[in-house]
Amino acid sequence: MNIKIINQNKDIARVIINEPKTYNSLSYKNLKDLINVLKKLDKDKKVKVIILEGAGKGFSAGHNLKEVKDLKKKERYKKLFNLCSKLMLQIVEGKKPVIAKVHGAAYAAGCQLVASCDLAYSTKDALFATPGVNIGLFCSTPMVAVSRKINRKPMMKMLLTGEPIKANYAKEIGLINDYFSKSKLNSETMKIAKKIASKSNLTIKIGKQAFYKQLEMPLRKAYSYTSQMMTYNMMAMDAKEGISAFLEKRKPKWRNK
């Protein structure tokens, strides 16, 4: 299996796409393995945060074009792109926060993978692109995730020109949270992961689900839905403990940590 799992600090799992020869391509096999690994980690009660990264020179170049070329039949193309969409949905709909840790290039479906993650951090020299137009294949599925993180004008420029953008601009338009030097990327990403892992697991799960669902709702419906979720959250012991701890000026002791 080309997907490695490294458990770090017990409650943080690093998932590494380990196929440097293909620039960590999102082949059919790698997509399937990633989905299975993320599903497994989602059920693991010890894991609170997932960090997703690539081995070798960069994060991911997207689909394996040699594999894509050999598929030839319509049904096979559809199966591959549907599987890729399934991976992105697993990240968004999963219970655990997923952080993309990016170095090198994140192109096409690799850029889609970064955009699908809840948070994203990169090296200063990282590059992001939806370059499908350069080979006559518009990045239609990658744009679903990326266009939900950045505004239309920069998105369309990326799609229509295929040109890569640098980390500083990716941060400016909201594709990534921040960028660091190569020597600091791991420690800074771990710092964020540890901070999230210290919170109530149940609260994070409720909040992540509510965040993505309300985004797609009209304003009135969004308020109605989030009011229900706040009420559900308030009835949990962790919310009661958190409020008590705040009022008593002490650290909370989460039951669902």
Side-chain angles (χ1 to χ4, degrees):
M1 192 163 79
N2 294 323
I3 311 301
K4 286 172 62 178
I5 306 173
I6 300 173
N7 288 321
Q8 203 150 352
N9 299 324
K10 296 180 181 179
D11 46 14
I12 299 168
R14 290 171 59 197
V15 176
I16 303 168
I17 310 170
N18 189 33
E19 198 177 75
K21 287 182 180 179
T22 67
Y23 213 97
N24 303 317
S25 70
L26 296 179
S27 61
Y28 188 87
K29 184 183 184 305
N30 286 348
L31 286 169
K32 204 169 184 180
D33 288 346
L34 271 171
I35 291 167
N36 290 335
V37 163
L38 290 172
K39 281 184 175 179
K40 179 184 174 183
L41 291 174
D42 222 33
K43 293 175 183 175
D44 190 336
K45 291 182 180 178
K46 292 179 182 177
V47 174
K48 305 295 185 293
V49 182
I50 300 165
I51 296 173
L52 185 59
E53 55 192 284
K57 292 181 179 179
F59 185 73
S60 175
H63 291 297
N64 186 324
L65 292 181
K66 287 183 180 178
E67 179 184 70
V68 171
K69 187 180 178 183
D70 291 340
L71 292 177
K72 295 178 181 179
K73 293 184 179 180
K74 182 181 177 180
E75 293 76 18
R76 290 178 179 175
Y77 290 135
K78 192 174 181 180
K79 191 176 181 181
L80 175 67
F81 297 133
N82 281 343
L83 189 66
C84 187
S85 299
K86 189 176 179 183
L87 169 62
M88 306 306 162
L89 287 169
Q90 174 60 41
I91 292 170
V92 173
E93 295 175 354
K95 300 171 187 174
K96 314 290 172 68
V98 182
I99 303 172
K101 190 177 87 174
V102 187
H103 73 292
Y107 281 12
C111 188
Q112 178 185 9
L113 191 56
V114 173
S116 296
C117 291
D118 303 297
L119 302 175
Y121 298 90
S122 80
T123 54
K124 289 180 180 179
D125 60 355
L127 296 171
F128 305 85
T130 50
V133 70
N134 295 331
I135 57 168
L137 182 65
F138 204 81
C139 282
S140 296
T141 47
M143 76 180 178
V144 174
V146 184
S147 67
R148 280 162 170 73
K149 293 292 165 77
I150 70 175
N151 290 328
R152 294 183 186 185
K153 291 293 189 288
M155 176 80 267
M156 285 303 291
K157 186 181 180 185
M158 287 179 71
L159 290 164
L160 295 172
T161 66
E163 293 176 353
I165 62 170
K166 294 179 181 179
N168 60 338
Y169 185 61
K171 179 186 177 181
E172 186 182 322
I173 62 175
L175 180 57
I176 63 172
N177 293 84
D178 212 342
Y179 56 90
F180 306 98
S181 63
K182 289 179 182 178
S183 61
K184 287 187 176 181
L185 178 62
N186 189 63
S187 61
E188 291 294 338
T189 305
M190 283 301 299
K191 193 186 293 182
I192 295 293
K194 286 176 184 176
K195 190 171 285 189
I196 296 168
S198 72
K199 313 301 180 185
S200 157
N201 193 37
L202 176 64
T203 303
I204 294 290
K205 173 188 165 184
I206 292 170
K208 176 175 173 174
Q209 179 188 35
F211 175 77
Y212 289 111
K213 282 197 174 184
Q214 64 85 24
L215 282 176
E216 307 303 322
M217 296 176 180
L219 189 63
R220 192 173 293 276
K221 189 176 180 182
Y223 272 119
S224 176
Y225 166 70
T226 51
S227 292
Q228 289 176 35
M229 293 303 285
M230 285 283 282
T231 303
Y232 171 65
N233 194 168
M234 190 61 234
M235 295 305 292
M237 288 305 296
D238 275 2
K240 292 177 171 65
E241 164 61 11
I243 292 169
S244 295
F246 177 80
L247 294 173
E248 294 163 18
K249 297 181 180 179
R250 61 176 175 81
K251 284 187 177 181
K253 295 177 181 178
W254 307 123
R255 290 197 178 190
N256 289 283
K257 189 179 178 299

